[in-house]
Each structure stands twice: as structure tokens, then as C-alpha cells.
Amino acid sequence: MTMNGNTPTAVDARAVSFSVEAKTLLDGVDVRAGRGHFVGLIGPNGAGKSTLLRTLSGILRHQEGAVSLEGRDLESLPARDVAAILALVPQLAPYTQGFTAFELVLMGRYPHLGRFQVESQTDDRIAREAMRLTETEDFGPRTLETLSGGERQRVFLARALAQQPRILLLDEPTSNLDILHQLTILGLVRRLVDGGLTAIAAIHDLNLAARYCDHLVVLSEGRVVTEGSPEEVLQPETIEAAFGVRSAVYREPVTGALAISLIEPAEEPVAATNGNGVTSAAGR
Amino acid sequence: MQAARLATLRGYRQMGISARLAIGAVVLLALVLVVGLVSLSLGPVDISLRHVAWIILSGVGFETPEFGRTEQLVIEQIRLPRIIVGASVGAALGVAGATMQGLFRNPMADPGIIGVSAGGALGAVVAIAAGLSALFFLALPLFAFAGAIAAAFLVYGIAVVGGHFSMATLLLAGVAVNAFLGAIVSAIIIFLPDNELLREVLFWLAGGLDARAWEHVRIATPLIAGSTALLMLLSRDLNLLMLGDDEARSMGVRVGVTRVVLLAVSALATGAAVAVSGTIAFVGLVTPHVLRLALGPDNRVLIPMSALGGAVFVMVADTVARLVIEPAEMRVGILTAFVGAPFFIALLIKNKRQVYSL
Ligand SMILES: Nc1ncnc2c1ncn2[C@@H]1O[C@H](COP(=O)(O)OP(=O)(O)OP(=O)(O)O)[C@@H](O)[C@H]1O
Ligand SMILES: [Mg+2]
């Protein structure tokens, strides 16, 4: 990653550890993202991707290590100042209590408003623009409960954009999206990143990660196992070590992008089979 | 009809916050005024609306035609303070209800849930049983207020034991403390030495506004107005808290402090209400609930409108309570529950599918 010498790294986490009770969820994690870079976090379920993103956003307090945002120590920053420069799109959308999509997106303006201020026309415009970018403007008057999973996910992205963050953390932003919106939403993030935004996203789809990210960090059991450019990281050996899946990696002839074909689990999971060759888990 | 109503409400929710506040305030303030004037004119001494208006206008320094001296006394010394206390109590219960429901993310929450009502009841009963209220006119409201606030602190203290706040513990501790204090009140009632005191205690427990005077206005109204203003200032933070602690924190809300302040201020408002009116049931539960169905969940609108709506609710209930069994009086607290509960149930059934979607 090339970085401008005099602007501080947008996100710089060093030796971050986080544990709950006796369980260590993050164990000395180093992650850096320079301004205008798109970093992908990949790793199996339970690797600690969400935990890391929540730590970087200040929701969780890490016990060891240091996180700095644009050169300032996260712990010394008031929550409001953090929210004014950093937005998080959570993996699981919360229960939204009957708020409409537009009301929710407008809440993104919260960190920019004073106690005695109400949203101005400008705030309204910013919220509407965020909804336009995420193609959610039609959902404005509807309550979140009436939206589909993917629609709701895009509304939460719209809210994060309405925050006008310089750092955007995305926790599996495409998990509920149809193939068209996977491309448009990641394409949107990519354009914003090219315009100077810094993004860190947990992504399960390796093809999308390869295509849109500048840099990939592989997490497993709370540790960074490897990191680098998509070409460096996405090797069949790395994928097998991290996920236990055999794969083939090649250049996709049409798009020219790196492509990963998943072949099979490296080892069959130990599962009892019944007489019909159906695993008991599936047959239940 | 139904469709037109829904379309209107949808239109309302799409307006900017200032427009929504202005429209809501104009409508509900007009209601407060109308109900207030009508309420002033009704009672054992019938006073025409015109005379009510003259008396009030002359009270604030305008030249008006002549009116009766008795009428003036009835309005200025009896009905007006009583109505202002009623409106303040309703406003307090309304805002505290809206805040509690938001904080608990639960439309069943009620201002009484943090122990304030039970604590207030105990304080009042102690003041009556010990004979203090007979000696000193303000003993009862002051004891009630102290009891209410002490109980709220106790419940909150239980919820933060071990340095870690838990909303679920707060709710359960509230239920337990309410039951415990209720038992003490029952025990005191059983051992009361004479029937006159017993009557007085039961009378107070039913919640009422009779014989409320300007002293009561001075105790309760400024506290309630101040609390309402503070809750309004924190209503945007409450909106985010409704989405969850993590959500709120990641949007920049100082979750811990904000929650404590919201709890304390609503306890203060409820305590002030309980101090001057006893426990008036249902207003804090129903008012925000009904308004939320109409206006949406945005607390910036809901909190001020719940203040006005609660005021209207209690004013109407008190007026009816004064008139139904003339010359005797019904207790407001009985009436709000008697009318409020069936109304609420009917509303719930009607809106079953629609409670949280417009
Ligand atoms: N409060 C908690 N107490 C105990 N364990 C927890 C807690 N929160 C998370 N964990 C565990 O920490 C690990 C990391 O969780 P995390 O949500 O960060 O995983 P992830 O990489 O985001 O997984 P996924 O791909 O499924 O979203 C998991 O094993 C999870 O069970
Ligand atoms: Mg996750």
C-alpha cells in the first residue's frame, strides 16, 4: 500500500486484542487502511471480522493495543467526533421501531447537528442524495419493517452515507443483495473510495473481494493470518488454509478480474451418512 | 374513510420536523384551550363561557365587562389551579410515558415502572398515617415526591449493581420494588388506627385533583415544564437509543450518560405528578401509544405532543369526574383507568396488524 507521507493513515490499528470473559476474540490484530483505499476483511464465520469492525468504530473497547483514526487516538475521541468521520453499516440491522426509511437515513445527520439544531434543507438534501445513490429513494415513506432484507440493507448503507464519513466500515454489505445490487453497491463504494473515502469491508464473496478491494486481510480465530493485494492473498493454498476449501484461481477472460472457483471442502466434514448416502444433518 | 385517514397520516409523516411540530402543536394546543375553557365553565356553580373568558382576560390585565365576584373566586381560586395541576400532571405522565417506552424499546413501559408511583404512594401514606398531612398542608406532596424519587434511585441502583447497567434488570427491579412497596402500603393500611385516616389514604391512592390550589401548581408545574423541556432536548438521542445501544453509540450518542439523564428527568416529572395527584393510572401508557399510532415513533414530535395529549386526557377525565356523580366527585384515577383501559383495548384490537407499520 502506498501512502502519502504527511497525511496520517485513515485507520491504523496496532496489536489490538479484545476478549470477553475468558474468550479472546481478537488477538493482536494489525490493520491499516490509507486514505482512498478499500480494504477487504475475509475469513470464516467466527473469525472476528465483525468484532474487529465494531472495535474500530468504538462500539467495543479493546483491552490491548491502539487504534487511531486519521492520526488521533480512538479512545481519546468523543463518540460524536468519531461518528462525524466514521460510519458503520452493521451486519445485522437492528429492530427499527416503526421509523420510515427516510427518517432512518436522516438520523445519519445526528453527529453533525448541534443540540439545539434541527435538520436543515441541506441535511434533507444529503439524506435524499444518499438514498438516490443506494437506489432506495422509493422506500422513503415506508417503515423499515415493510422492506425486504436487501432493501433494508441498502437503507442502512444510505444512512451511513448520509453521515458523510471519511471512513466507512461495512459488515457484509452485500450479504442480502441480488447480483445486480451486489455490483452496483460495491461499485458505488469503489467510486467513493476513488474519490478519497477509506473503506473497510467484511466480505464473504471472494470474487467480489478480489474485484473491488485494493488490499485483503485474512482473519482466522481472531488473528491476521495473511494480508496483501488480492493477487497475493487469493492463492489456492491460502484459501485452503483459511477456509478449508479447495479452489482454483484464474483470470476471468471477460472481465479480466481475478476469479476464484470453489471446488470442494478440503476434507469432508465428519458427518454420519445413512443408507441413502444422505448426511444425517440434511436428512433430519 | 380509513384510506383517507391513512393517506393524511402518511402525508404528515413525510413533512419536515418543524412542520410536524407546528401542526401538532397548533391542533393539540387548541384542544387544550377548548377543553380548559369548557372545564372552567362546568361545575356546581354554572359559569357561562363568556364570563369565563372575561374573568381570565381581566386577570391578565384587559378591560372587560362586569362579572360576578363569586364567579371570579370560583374560577381563580378553585377551578383554574385545579385545571392547571391536572394539565401539568397529564403532561408529566405523557412525556414520562413516551420516554420510558422509548428507553425500554417497549410500548408496555409506563412511568410507574421505575418505582416512582409506588414510592410516591408510600411517601404519601406515611405522611397521612403519621398525621403529618393534617398538621402541614404540603407534607403530603413533599413526602410523596421524596418517596417517588427515592424509589426511582433504588430501582436504578439495583440495575447498576456491579458497575454494569442492565435495562432488563431495571425493568424487573421496577416490578419487584413496586410489589414490595405496595406490600408496605397495604400493611400500613391494615394497621391504620382509625377509619378517617383509612379513607384519606384510599382516597389519595385512587389519584385525584380535588382541592388542588395554587400551592400545588407552584410545586409541580415548574418541575414538570422543566423536565419536559429537557426531555425534548434529548429526544433525538432517544430516537437513536431506540435502535439499540450499539447503534446509538456508533452514531455518536453518549449512551450511558444520556440514558441516566433520561431516566432521572422522567422520574422527576413523574414524581412531581404523583406528589400533587396521587397515582393516576393509564395516562402515561395510553397517551404516547395513541399518538405514536398517529404521528409515528419520532420522539422529537412524540414527546411534546404527549405532553399536550396527556394534559388533554387528564383535563377531560377530571371534568367528567367532577360532573358524573354530582354533588359528589369521582376520582380522576378511577376514571382514567375505567375509560382508558377499554378504549386502549379497543384500539389495540383495531390496530393489531398495523401497530408498527403505517
Ligand atoms: N459477546 C460474546 N461472547 C462470547 N463470544 C462472542 C461474543 N461476541 C462474539 N463472540 C464470538 O466471537 C467470535 C467472532 O465473532 P464475529 O462476529 O466477530 O465473527 P465474524 O468473523 O464476523 O463471523 P461471521 O462471518 O459469521 O459474521 C465468534 O466465535 C463469536 O461466537
Ligand atoms: Mg460478522
Side-chain angles (χ1 to χ4, degrees):
Chain A
M1 221 182 329
T2 53
M3 257 171 249
N4 189 330
N6 41 31
T7 51
T9 316
V11 179
D12 192 351
R14 285 171 201 259
V16 168
S17 294
F18 175 80
S19 31
V20 229
E21 281 135 35
K23 201 167 178 229
T24 305
L25 308 188
L26 295 177
D27 187 3
V29 171
D30 285 286
V31 176
R32 261 174 292 282
R35 194 175 116 83
H37 279 75
F38 192 168
V39 174
L41 292 179
I42 58 178
N45 289 147
K49 303 179 295 294
S50 298
T51 307
L52 178 60
L53 291 175
R54 284 151 56 81
T55 306
L56 297 179
S57 70
I59 294 177
L60 299 175
R61 282 252 173 274
H62 52 280
Q63 288 95 357
E64 281 164 49
V67 176
S68 76
L69 303 177
E70 301 184 338
R72 289 183 295 172
D73 186 27
L74 174 64
E75 270 167 293
S76 67
L77 282 174
R80 204 182 174 75
D81 294 2
V82 174
I85 59 167
L86 178 148
L88 168 73
V89 181
Q91 181 173 6
L92 298 171
Y95 176 58
T96 43
Q97 307 279 354
F99 283 106
T100 65
F102 183 71
E103 285 169 339
L104 190 92
V105 174
L106 202 55
M107 284 186 203
R109 299 307 298 156
Y110 176 89
H112 300 285
L113 290 170
R115 170 84 46 219
F116 297 93
Q117 259 181 317
V118 297
E119 292 88 353
S120 65
Q121 301 258 300
T122 317
D123 296 307
D124 242 57
R125 201 175 40 68
I126 291 167
R128 282 183 208 291
E129 174 64 9
M131 294 184 86
R132 194 185 62 74
L133 287 172
T134 52
E135 296 172 47
T136 54
E137 65 264 68
D138 291 347
F139 311 141
R142 286 172 57 187
T143 61
L144 273 289
E145 287 81 2
T146 66
L147 299 182
S148 78
E151 291 167 346
R152 203 175 307 183
Q153 199 166 22
R154 274 147 54 206
V155 171
F156 273 88
L157 175 61
R159 186 185 67 173
L161 297 182
Q163 255 174 283
Q164 295 191 312
R166 298 200 288 268
I167 301 163
L168 180 61
L169 306 183
L170 303 149
D171 201 346
E172 296 182 26
T174 53
S175 58
N176 291 308
L177 301 187
D178 61 51
I179 47 176
L180 171 64
H181 283 104
Q182 290 179 4
L183 299 182
T184 53
I185 290 299
L186 285 179
L188 166 66
V189 174
R190 183 69 242 180
R191 280 204 311 283
L192 296 171
V193 164
D194 292 336
L197 178 77
T198 305
I200 304 182
I203 300 179
H204 276 302
D205 186 321
L206 299 182
N207 287 298
L208 292 176
R211 178 147 168 205
Y212 290 100
C213 298
D214 303 303
H215 188 84
L216 294 181
V217 175
V218 185
L219 274 182
S220 180
E221 294 174 5
R223 289 199 196 89
V224 174
V225 288
T226 178
E227 65 175 307
S229 67
E231 287 76 11
E232 288 162 358
V233 168
L234 295 173
Q235 304 284 341
E237 308 77 62
T238 326
I239 295 171
E240 185 167 335
F243 296 94
V245 170
R246 296 212 298 119
S247 62
V249 180
Y250 53 97
R251 281 277 159 203
E252 214 286 322
V254 180
T255 58
L258 205 60
I260 298 93
S261 278
L262 307 177
I263 300 170
E264 58 185 0
E267 271 173 63
E268 285 297 329
V270 219
T273 49
N274 64 22
N276 304 324
V278 179
T279 66
S280 60
R284 230 182 286 145
Chain B
M1 209 15 232
Q2 177 78 4
R5 192 178 65 93
L6 271 183
T8 317
L9 292 180
R10 254 195 215 113
Y12 177 80
R13 283 194 60 181
Q14 280 165 62
M15 293 176 190
I17 175 74
S18 317
R20 273 183 294 157
L21 273 175
I23 293 177
V26 165
V27 170
L28 282 167
L29 269 177
L31 253 176
V32 168
L33 272 180
V34 169
V35 171
L37 286 176
V38 170
S39 180
L40 279 172
S41 81
L42 295 174
V45 183
D46 241 330
I47 304 172
S48 71
L49 273 176
R50 182 158 11 131
H51 282 202
V52 169
W54 287 348
I55 292 168
I56 292 186
L57 286 177
S58 85
V60 292
F62 282 94
E63 289 281 331
T64 59
E66 284 293 303
F67 44 78
R69 190 71 200 131
T70 326
E71 290 185 335
Q72 183 181 6
L73 270 179
V74 167
I75 296 281
E76 284 183 354
Q77 295 310 317
I78 301 177
R79 291 192 194 159
L80 193 57
R82 174 179 186 150
I83 287 168
I84 294 178
V85 171
S88 308
V89 165
L93 298 175
V95 291
T99 308
M100 290 292 153
Q101 290 172 12
L103 271 175
F104 285 100
R105 298 165 202 139
N106 185 336
M108 289 309 296
D110 175 88
I113 206 114
I114 43 173
V116 269
S117 305
L122 181 59
V125 169
V126 166
I128 296 169
L132 291 170
S133 62
L135 292 179
F136 170 45
F137 160 74
L138 284 180
L140 198 157
L142 292 178
F143 266 65
F145 185 70
I149 299 302
F153 269 101
L154 175 66
V155 169
Y156 182 75
I158 296 171
V160 289
V161 164
H164 175 75
F165 176 84
S166 154
M167 212 63 182
T169 312
L170 185 79
L171 197 69
L172 292 171
V175 172
V177 166
N178 275 322
F180 184 72
L181 296 182
I184 299 182
V185 167
S186 302
I188 297 179
I189 290 176
I190 289 171
F191 293 113
L192 273 179
D194 71 72
N195 279 341
E196 195 41 52
L197 288 183
L198 175 66
R199 225 184 108 71
E200 206 182 322
V201 166
L202 292 179
F203 203 62
W204 192 86
L205 287 179
L209 293 165
D210 48 279
R212 297 301 93 170
W214 287 109
E215 284 85 348
H216 297 103
V217 173
R218 278 193 281 274
I219 302 176
T221 308
L223 264 178
I224 290 169
S227 314
T228 304
L230 256 175
L231 292 176
M232 282 174 69
L233 273 182
L234 291 169
S235 55
R236 187 160 41 205
D237 308 61
L238 182 58
N239 280 349
L240 286 162
L241 278 173
M242 274 171 80
L243 303 181
D245 289 3
D246 285 357
E247 274 294 305
R249 195 166 286 131
S250 80
M251 297 298 290
V253 178
R254 293 165 66 197
V255 172
V257 187
T258 308
R259 187 165 39 211
V260 171
V261 174
L262 284 166
L263 274 172
V265 175
S266 26
L268 204 67
T270 315
V274 169
V276 294
S277 70
T279 41
I280 294 183
F282 248 77
V283 177
L285 179 68
V286 177
T287 311
H289 209 97
V290 171
L291 289 169
R292 195 180 291 112
L293 287 175
L295 310 177
D298 189 341
N299 288 295
R300 292 178 300 165
V301 177
L302 195 60
I303 286 181
M305 296 311 134
S306 294
L308 297 174
V312 171
F313 188 176
V314 172
M315 283 159 82
V316 170
D318 184 45
T319 311
V320 176
R322 265 165 39 200
L323 301 173
V324 270
I325 48 171
E326 248 183 328
E329 269 194 21
M330 181 83 153
R331 303 294 291 172
V332 192
I334 297 175
L335 203 94
T336 51
F338 209 72
V339 177
F343 169 76
F344 188 49
I345 292 168
L347 192 84
L348 287 184
I349 292 170
K350 186 158 164 278
N351 286 293
K352 212 166 174 188
R353 253 164 319 215
Q354 188 191 311
V355 167
Y356 276 115
S357 60
L358 192 69

